Every structure is written in C-alpha cells, then in structure tokens.
Amino acid sequence: MALTKGKKGYTIPMDLEALTIGQAQDIYKALAEDEDYRQFLSGAEEEHWSHELLVYARKATRIMAMLAGVDMSAVEFLRDDEVVNIAPQFEFGVLRPLYHFGVYQPKEFEKFEFEGVEYRMPLSINDGFGGVMPMAEVTAEEWAESNDLRIASSNPIEYAHLIVAILCRPEGEKYNERVARERAEQFKQLPCSLAFDVFFLQVCSYEYYSRSYRATFAPPKSGGRGKGGESSFGQWKQRLFFAASDSNGGVLPCELARVKQWSVGEFLELLEYKLEEAENRAK
C-alpha cells in the first residue's frame, strides 16, 4: 500500500509477508510502553467506543509513517475519515497478527531463497507411531541455542533473526555460531511471516518432546531464574553441559563437542537418563 503526501508516495507493508523481521522488531519497540493499544491488538478487549477506535487508528498510521521512514507530519494531516479508511487494513494485516498469534496460520515448506542462496528449514519426519517429529535432525547445540533465545525473548520476533540463522542454513552446512551471528543481521530483511513459521515449528517441537521426557522438561526448582534474578536464558545450554558431564560433574571438552553434534532426540534421551539418575541419588 502507498501512503502519499503531496506528490511523494511511501510503500507500506500490509501483511507479514511484506513486513521484514527488522520492521517487526521496530514495531515491538515502538509499542513497548503502550499497553492499552497492545491489549486492543491482542483481542484482550472485546468492545471499544468509536472515539477509541479513531485513537487506535491514528496510532496505527503513526506506525505506518515510522516504517516508511517519514516524519509524523506525513500522517498527522490526514482527516479522520482517511485515517479510519486506511488504518484498519494495516492493523488487520500487520499489527494484529504480531500481537494475536492465533490469527497467523503457519505454512509448511522445506526451503526458502534469500539473496540468491537457498536455505533449508529444519526437517520434520514421521515418528513411526502416526505422528510427526518436528525438527528431528536439529543437533543438540542448535536446539539449546535456539530454545534459549526463544525462552529469553519477550516476543516471538525479538531474536527471530538469530533463531532463523541458527536453524536454517544452506544444504550440507554445519552450524557455526560466528557465521550464524554474521548472517543474522542480514536475516532482519527476511519476511516476518518466515520468522513466525520457524517460531511455530519450535513450539511444536518443544511440545512434542516434552510429552516424552518428563524430567528434562520439568520447570527448574529455582523458578527459572539464574544468578542475579535474570531469566533462564542459559537453561538449555546448561543442560547441554550437564549431559556432557562425568559422574563428578566435570565437563570433558571432547565429550561436550561430541554431544553437541547429537540429534535432539539422542540428546534428550541422554539428558533424561542423567536427570533421573541424579534425582534417584538425591533421594
């Protein structure tokens, strides 16, 4: 959609496929302090007065101006009827899906292309029992890194560029943290819809494995808080180290390097065994 002022036009994304990950991150930052509008977008409030809807519509047009990189005066001059005409389209296609996750319908695909390079999505396979095992070939290291980021984030987009860079790589390329962080900055230009597709895949994978590994997925007894009260950012990385530890709790570098390359299923199987063993010793 084009927003115009005088003879100049500005292109505005009107859905998550046109919105980039970087733009979505900017929206979350811009609305971080506006709880009232966020509740409206999430569908938390069912009824609104007409004057409230106009206020919200003007907020939407300001976000549109921000994405277009223009001064707020580009939208402040709009009449109320013009605002009410264009803002709901932007709210419905972009803002509501960002804050009301149930609105977005994730897509299934095996690969995508970005700047002439083909990247593969994490592979899901049949589990042999009539179900689907999501992200079955992800390594223990990729699982730990990507889930720590997902758990630590305040919304699905905060670290999306990093998560996609960890989980989606060219065919045959092994995970490398340095390469992933360098690539992540470029991935801010990817469609926000792709980030949501990866996010939903992560959630499905997490829920799938949590049904099989009770001890591994039990909430931390500390309440999920680390030293100094920070969130459990390192929770899965810490469990990766625990899986590679010896009977005395020491981590052998060679064993850690080996476990990092295991499939997520193998890693969780080992972790479940070690956690249950430690639990029995503590009784």
Side-chain angles (χ1 to χ4, degrees), residues 77-127:
F77 75 95
L78 292 172
R79 300 191 311 273
D80 289 351
D81 61 323
E82 293 176 311
V83 169
V84 172
N85 182 48
I86 66 172
Q89 301 173 53
F90 180 68
E91 285 181 336
F92 180 80
V94 173
L95 297 181
R96 278 192 177 274
L98 283 180
Y99 288 92
H100 193 347
F101 308 137
V103 173
Y104 182 75
Q105 296 297 316
K107 301 179 293 298
E108 293 185 14
F109 52 96
E110 295 181 356
K111 55 191 176 182
F112 63 90
E113 188 173 305
F114 178 68
E115 294 187 348
V117 179
E118 193 172 86
Y119 296 87
R120 299 195 66 81
M121 294 284 283
L123 182 66
S124 299
I125 63 174
N126 293 327
D127 63 6

Side-chain angles (χ1 to χ4, degrees), residues 10-281:
Y10 307 92
T11 302
I12 306 295
M14 298 305 287
D15 55 43
L16 295 189
E17 291 188 359
L19 187 77
T20 68
I21 291 175
Q23 288 175 320
Q25 292 169 337
D26 290 340
I27 290 174
Y28 275 114
K29 290 175 184 176
L31 296 180
E33 304 299 325
D34 198 336
E35 184 177 353
D36 179 59
Y37 191 34
R38 293 201 313 273
Q39 285 188 346
F40 166 71
L41 294 171
S42 68
E45 299 293 338
E46 295 295 332
E47 297 182 6
H48 296 276
W49 299 102
S50 58
H51 73 276
E52 289 180 315
L53 294 177
L54 178 59
V55 169
Y56 295 146
R58 286 208 170 271
K59 289 183 178 182
T61 56
R62 293 188 188 103
I63 295 295
M64 293 168 71
M66 178 192 74
L67 295 181
V70 299
D71 188 86
M72 291 301 174
S73 60
V75 293
E76 295 297 346
F77 75 95
L78 292 172
R79 300 191 311 273
D80 289 351
D81 61 323
E82 293 176 311
V83 169
V84 172
N85 182 48
I86 66 172
Q89 301 173 53
F90 180 68
E91 285 181 336
F92 180 80
V94 173
L95 297 181
R96 278 192 177 274
L98 283 180
Y99 288 92
H100 193 347
F101 308 137
V103 173
Y104 182 75
Q105 296 297 316
K107 301 179 293 298
E108 293 185 14
F109 52 96
E110 295 181 356
K111 55 191 176 182
F112 63 90
E113 188 173 305
F114 178 68
E115 294 187 348
V117 179
E118 193 172 86
Y119 296 87
R120 299 195 66 81
M121 294 284 283
L123 182 66
S124 299
I125 63 174
N126 293 327
D127 63 6
F129 300 96
V132 175
M133 189 183 300
M135 295 171 50
E137 295 189 355
V138 167
T139 67
E141 182 177 24
E142 294 158 13
W143 167 274
E145 294 280 359
S146 61
N147 273 294
D148 278 344
L149 287 168
R150 181 181 63 83
I151 293 168
S153 62
S154 59
N155 60 67
I157 301 298
E158 186 174 2
Y159 300 118
H161 56 305
L162 276 166
I163 291 172
V164 174
I166 290 170
L167 296 176
C168 304
R169 300 184 303 281
E171 176 121 32
E173 179 183 289
K174 291 187 176 182
Y175 171 62
N176 180 287
E177 183 178 356
R178 179 185 59 79
V179 172
R181 290 192 175 276
E182 291 174 354
R183 188 175 284 157
E185 288 305 306
Q186 302 172 0
F187 276 7
K188 287 183 179 181
Q189 299 304 312
L190 284 170
C192 181
S193 58
L194 190 147
F196 267 48
D197 292 329
V198 173
F199 172 79
F200 277 101
L201 191 59
Q202 275 191 292
V203 172
C204 289
S205 176
Y206 205 87
E207 291 177 348
Y208 176 88
Y209 289 114
S210 68
R211 294 193 292 269
S212 301
Y213 301 102
R214 179 192 59 81
T216 298
F217 286 84
K221 293 181 180 179
S222 62
R225 297 284 162 180
K227 188 183 295 183
E230 71 273 13
S231 65
S232 54
F233 180 87
Q235 180 184 355
W236 280 99
K237 183 173 285 188
Q238 290 166 4
R239 293 187 182 194
L240 179 60
F241 276 74
F242 176 74
S245 64
D246 58 24
S247 57
N248 296 317
V251 178
L252 301 174
C254 58
E255 181 66 8
L256 178 60
R258 189 171 71 91
V259 173
K260 280 182 175 181
Q261 298 307 310
W262 283 12
S263 72
V264 60
E266 293 171 324
F267 161 60
L268 294 175
E269 192 75 36
L270 173 63
L271 186 55
E272 183 80 358
Y273 170 77
K274 286 203 165 188
L275 286 169
E276 288 180 347
E277 188 179 49
E279 190 176 288
N280 291 331
R281 285 200 304 267

